Amino acid sequence: MREYRILHLEDSHSDADVIKRVLLKANLNFQYFFADDKESFIRGLTDFKPDVILCDHALPQFDSVMAFDIYKEMKFEIPFILVTGSVSEEYAVEMIKKGIDDYLLKTNLQRLPQAIKSAFDKRENEKKIKEGIKKLENSESRMKEAQKIAHLGNWELDFETRIGIWSDETCRIYGLSPEDNKQTFEIWISFIHPDDLEYVMKIVNETQKTLVVSKMNHRIVLKDGTIKHVTSESKFNIDSTGKPIGIYGIVHDITERKKAEESLRQSETNLLAIFENTNTGFLLLDTLFNIISFNNQINHFAKILFGFELQGKQNLISLLLPERQKEFAGMFSAVIKGNNINNETSYPLTDGSIIWYHLSGNCVLDTNGKAVGICLAINDITEKKEAEQKLEQQNKELAISNTELEQFAYVASHDLQEPLRMVSSFLNLLEKRMDGQLDETNRQYIDFAVDGTRRMKSLIMALLEYSRVGTNKEDFAPVDLNEVVQYVTNVLDENIKKNTALITFKFLPVITANKTLITHLFLNLVNNALKYHGDKEPVIEIGSTEDKDWYIFYVKDNGIGIDPKFFDKIFIIFQRLHNKSEYSGTGIGLAICKKIVEIHKGKIWVESEPGKGSTFYFSIPETKHNA
Ligand code: ADP
């Protein structure tokens, strides 16, 4: 049974007892708090926490009006029942207006228990209704919020009034403010995108006939021209006679999703275009090496390799030549374990030729990092391989012919010395024997012949020197070119002094080179710069620059210069631009320079203008050499 907590404001103890007895008699289960002034009343409110107040009208220095004001101020919402002796009707009406729950005269107390129960139940009901309203309001605002988040609105249309009620979100989707929530079917139709109107009307008409739920995707055009994609779904409201009296439904704004789908589709199309139009063949295998997917280029390979196009779902290993199956299965298994493939290999074709291809393979992992397949990329490199092989063959042949040429030059120059020595010895003998018998002309002839043999000897020596360049097997090693140039100027010191030449050199790098050959190279170039100085005193500069992967060295002089039409000729063996009476020499120096530079995988060239001096350049790659 419910227990009431009764706070009783009453200055008469005997009245209080009477009231308590009435309540007990009526079997009312209650706790009782007696207050007879303002303080005890307030204490009763705060400490006792009543759920019913019984209040007498007049107390010394306190009364029911003041008590009611305190009760209101403290925001109590419990029954407040006035139980008094006789009071004026006016006062009673006033108190009822103020909001008391009931009014009883002490002379008529038998109604009190029921009055307490009723006032209490009334208050409880009001509380429940208030809570219910609040809950409803909450859920409605939550629903509105949910609709906003989901871009999902609802609406309903009454066939009789022809008025449609749109939810806040439906209004927002259609670009309207939530106040414009009363719309007609015709207005809704005016929003439909012209290209979708026929489709929408068809569904609307069909639905009207069949009365089944309809769903459609279409576009709407807002007043500001914005186009949106929506999904609409509707259902009929049917009355008890089976007659449709309205229609209701939802509208879902799927514009963002459509945009995302479109951009996904576009990027898929782009990727596919790349995938299908590349020269690389791509192949996706599962972990058992079954073909899952491949691009056009793979079919090109398949036709060459197997003579047919791939069907998909075939096992790649089973398509290969039996003698290669183990090798590829091993390779693919290794990929699954994380060892990627990156190699160049060949495969025999049915016509007996060979295809060379570059194969790379990577393991495909799922989101948990588990291997789920292999992605292979294949490139036909047959042309490149054949070109490489051809080049290799040519290099081999060139090396053989160079060696043969060097051997020939060596043998020829070596073997020519012997008959030459014989000719000059016999000429000497003849000259001695005929001493005194030769006239001036004959003596001159013999001198010419002797001079000829001398020149021939120096040419043979030069040829021998040329053929020996490069046979020196000294290793390539770091060479400090500052030391080399210092050495060269020391060797040429006498010549430098004789010509009162000025030689300057900038700081030079340390390069990996054959020291003997590099020294020879600088010696020849500086020697020429000293030799071909003409009338001026020689001023020679030696230096270097760097260009990407190359060192570029130069020897610059202020000498007689060279006509550009001879720039190539001077590097050819025995080619000279002057006769020996003008400048001594054999024409071998620059040919040797060229050979030395080429041994170092570099190039040599000249820039010059007659009368203005020459600059000889040579380049040496910065990479390390091996002898
Ligand atoms: P040689 O000096 O024995 O004639 P080289 O092969 O060293 O042979 O030079 C070939 C020719 O190039 C020379 O005859 C000369 O005409 C020309 N030449 C070489 N160096 C210079 C130079 N520094 N200035 C002008 N001409 C040069």
Side-chain angles (χ1 to χ4, degrees), residues 44 148 346 417 421 608 626:
K148 198 169 168 185
S346 62
Q417 285 183 79
R421 245 195 316 270
S608 176
N626 292 313

Side-chain angles (χ1 to χ4, degrees), residues 369-438:
K370 192 179 151 232
V372 287
I374 302 174
C375 178
L376 296 175
I378 306 166
N379 276 302
D380 187 347
I381 53 163
T382 310
E383 272 180 29
K384 184 190 122 196
K385 263 286 170 201
E386 282 173 359
E388 271 174 22
Q389 281 170 347
K390 205 166 158 192
L391 200 69
E392 210 173 299
Q393 186 58 29
Q394 280 170 348
N395 278 344
K396 260 188 210 155
E397 284 167 12
L398 202 66
I400 292 169
S401 89
N402 273 348
T403 317
E404 281 171 356
L405 200 68
E406 274 166 17
Q407 277 168 359
F408 166 77
Y410 177 76
V411 170
S413 49
H414 188 266
D415 291 1
L416 279 175
Q417 285 183 79
E418 186 48 38
L420 189 64
R421 245 195 316 270
M422 226 163 94
V423 173
S424 68
S425 309
F426 279 104
L427 276 175
N428 279 338
L429 206 61
L430 198 64
E431 197 180 15
K432 273 183 197 151
R433 281 256 187 133
M434 304 289 280
D435 196 21
Q437 297 172 41
L438 291 172

Side-chain angles (χ1 to χ4, degrees), residues 95-108:
M95 284 305 278
I96 286 171
K97 268 193 196 162
K98 264 181 173 273
I100 61 162
D101 293 72
D102 209 347
Y103 167 67
L104 269 95
L105 285 175
K106 286 179 183 169
T107 50
N108 190 16

